[in-house]
Amino acid sequence: MPEISLIAGKIGPFQPQQPVMVPLWLALQLRKEGKCGIMPPEWMDLDNLQAKENEEREQEENFTELPYHYEEIASLLLKTAQSDMKDSRKVKTILKNISDLRSSKIKQGLRTIKGKIDFIKLNNVAAMELYSMRGFSVKTLSAFKAIAHATNYEPSQQMATYEASQSQSQTQASSQYDD
């Protein structure tokens, strides 16, 4: 098969039994057409996934490093190229275990939030995991908005009042020392 010209550049030429790096979407399409087999990424190797699962269990508060879209990539590859993968059932089971462990950590972390929070640090959280927290976040922000509305709290007015009082006190302070 000759080279394929894409917006991002040329891919190929394709030779039988010779691996070629291609975008995931192209690999999936060629696999569906029966024109290639897919070699899963290294992180989807059974031994690597078992090590990641163990690491995830050991780290109670941190998330192990995985690709940002690991769940989506794994799902597409297991759906389209399961026969190309060695031990695909075990891979699927381990990925489910990792996902469950990470989901449990997220839920536990959200339960521990109390009081005023300026920020939350989320290292190595994947796209689908962030999406799963979205519902909670939106409901929480809506509740805060309702409380603010019920108490007639206007953050912009509070800031304007604070800034005005700050500038007045600074003016008074400077006039005290001008003499």
Side-chain angles (χ1 to χ4, degrees):
M1 193 171 166
E3 282 185 339
I4 298 175
S5 293
L6 303 171
I7 293 173
K10 294 181 179 183
I11 299 175
F14 299 93
Q15 302 294 324
Q17 303 301 316
Q18 295 295 317
V20 177
M21 291 286 283
V22 298
L24 180 61
W25 65 268
L26 181 58
L28 294 171
Q29 184 59 41
L30 291 172
R31 177 67 178 95
K32 285 177 185 175
E33 293 173 6
K35 295 183 178 180
C36 73
I38 295 179
M39 295 174 56
E42 192 175 309
W43 62 266
M44 279 188 71
D45 176 70
L46 185 62
D47 293 333
N48 288 341
L49 284 176
Q50 286 173 332
K52 290 291 184 183
E53 180 183 13
N54 292 335
E55 189 178 329
E56 201 69 57
R57 286 184 195 284
E58 291 169 6
Q59 296 182 15
E60 293 180 16
E61 294 182 8
N62 298 318
F63 296 93
T64 187
E65 189 173 342
L66 285 167
Y68 184 64
H69 291 285
Y70 85 93
E71 290 185 71
E72 297 92 321
I73 294 168
S75 176
L76 288 168
L77 290 175
L78 287 167
K79 181 180 173 185
T80 305
Q82 187 171 353
S83 61
D84 295 340
M85 298 174 71
K86 182 180 174 186
D87 299 318
S88 62
R89 286 188 179 168
K90 288 181 182 177
V91 166
K92 194 174 191 177
T93 300
I94 292 171
L95 283 166
K96 175 75 170 117
N97 292 345
I98 290 171
S99 179
D100 290 345
L101 286 166
R102 292 168 72 99
S103 178
S104 177
K105 286 181 186 182
I106 290 169
K107 288 176 185 172
Q108 182 60 32
L110 292 174
R111 281 189 210 111
T112 62
I113 295 175
K114 294 179 183 168
K116 183 183 178 214
I117 295 178
D118 292 327
F119 70 94
I120 297 175
K121 188 175 182 180
L122 298 171
N123 290 341
N124 299 322
V125 176
M128 288 300 284
E129 295 160 349
L130 286 173
Y131 180 76
S132 72
M133 289 187 287
R134 182 177 176 210
F136 171 81
S137 302
V138 169
K139 288 178 186 174
T140 302
L141 291 173
S142 295
F144 286 142
K145 185 177 179 181
I147 291 168
H149 187 295
T151 59
N152 293 324
Y153 176 72
E154 296 285 336
S156 58
Q157 287 179 348
Q158 294 291 334
M159 268 315 243
T161 303
Y162 174 74
E163 288 173 9
S165 65
Q166 279 287 97
S167 63
Q168 287 174 356
S169 62
Q170 287 175 351
T171 305
Q172 290 172 355
S174 64
S175 64
Q176 289 176 352
Y177 298 109
D178 284 343
D179 296 332

